[in-house]
């Protein structure tokens, strides 16, 4: 997955924003199915994902924080995710290493953005409504103008 992210530190505090190119998304792992996900299943799921996320109409998924709390290397970030033309609140938690690498995780409920979870083979293969999203990247301080 290709992620372009920005962290801005200025006089008003910390703002976290990220832009994710929808066309770059792929299935990294699949858990809990009736059968293990094969390469063909993964390819079919990714094709369906692109159909659902409509990258031609909505080329990016955007996140902008509304609050960022950093204490002892632990991050609590709240903000809005814009997906398929809809913005919904999301809370993420994670950590910041001494070298400035951020690792965060959240659970996003697909139906909050009008997405019906993927299902195939008469329901033998399906995704849960809740999807875990993990993000990692390096902090980049930007000087205030």
């Amino acid at each position: 997955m290709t992620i372009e992210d920005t962290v801005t530190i200025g006089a008003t505090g910390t703002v976290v924003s990220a832009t994710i190119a929808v066309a770059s998304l792929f299935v990294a792992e699949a858990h809990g199915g009736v059968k293990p996900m094969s390469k063909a299943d993964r390819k079919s799921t990714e094709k369906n994902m692109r159909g659902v996320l409509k990258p031609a109409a909505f080329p990016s998924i955007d996140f902008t924080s509304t609050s960022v709390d950093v204490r002892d290397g632990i991050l609590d970030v709240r903000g809005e995710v814009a997906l398929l033309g809809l913005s919904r609140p999301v809370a993420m938690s994670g950590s910041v290493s001494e070298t400035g690498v951020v690792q965060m995780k959240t659970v996003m409920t697909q139906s909050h953005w009008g997405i019906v979870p993927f299902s195939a083979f008469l329901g033998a293969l399906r995704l849960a409504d809740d999807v875990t999203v993990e993000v990692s990247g390096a902090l980049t301080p930007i000087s205030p103008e």
Side-chain angles (χ1 to χ4, degrees):
M1 174 176 0
T2 302
I3 298 178
E4 300 173 30
D5 58 359
T6 308
V7 176
T8 304
I9 302 173
T12 58
T14 302
V15 175
V16 177
S17 64
T19 298
I20 301 166
V22 171
S24 73
L25 296 174
F26 64 92
V27 176
E29 295 180 47
H31 302 281
V34 174
K35 65 180 187 85
M37 183 176 261
S38 67
K39 283 186 180 183
D41 294 338
R42 185 179 308 268
K43 191 172 184 175
S44 174
T45 301
E46 288 175 352
K47 181 179 177 183
N48 183 67
M49 176 176 62
R50 287 184 195 1
V52 168
L53 295 178
K54 304 172 188 156
F58 304 100
S60 66
I61 299 169
D62 301 299
F63 173 81
T64 303
S65 65
T66 55
S67 71
V68 178
D69 186 28
V70 183
R71 294 175 201 257
D72 301 321
I74 304 299
L75 272 171
D76 178 34
V77 179
R78 297 181 186 282
E80 295 279 325
V81 169
L83 170 62
L84 294 172
L86 301 171
S87 290
R88 300 287 184 258
V90 172
M92 295 188 280
S93 61
S95 62
V96 181
S97 73
E98 290 180 10
T99 59
V101 174
V102 176
Q103 294 186 329
M104 303 203 58
K105 184 187 279 191
T106 190
V107 174
M108 293 177 61
T109 304
Q110 297 179 79
S111 59
H112 290 177
W113 284 269
I115 299 170
V116 176
F118 177 77
S119 180
F121 307 114
L122 302 174
L125 175 65
R126 66 177 140 196
L127 294 179
D129 196 16
D130 288 343
V131 176
T132 300
V133 178
E134 296 181 8
V135 178
S136 63
L139 291 175
T140 305
I142 298 174
S143 300
E145 296 179 38

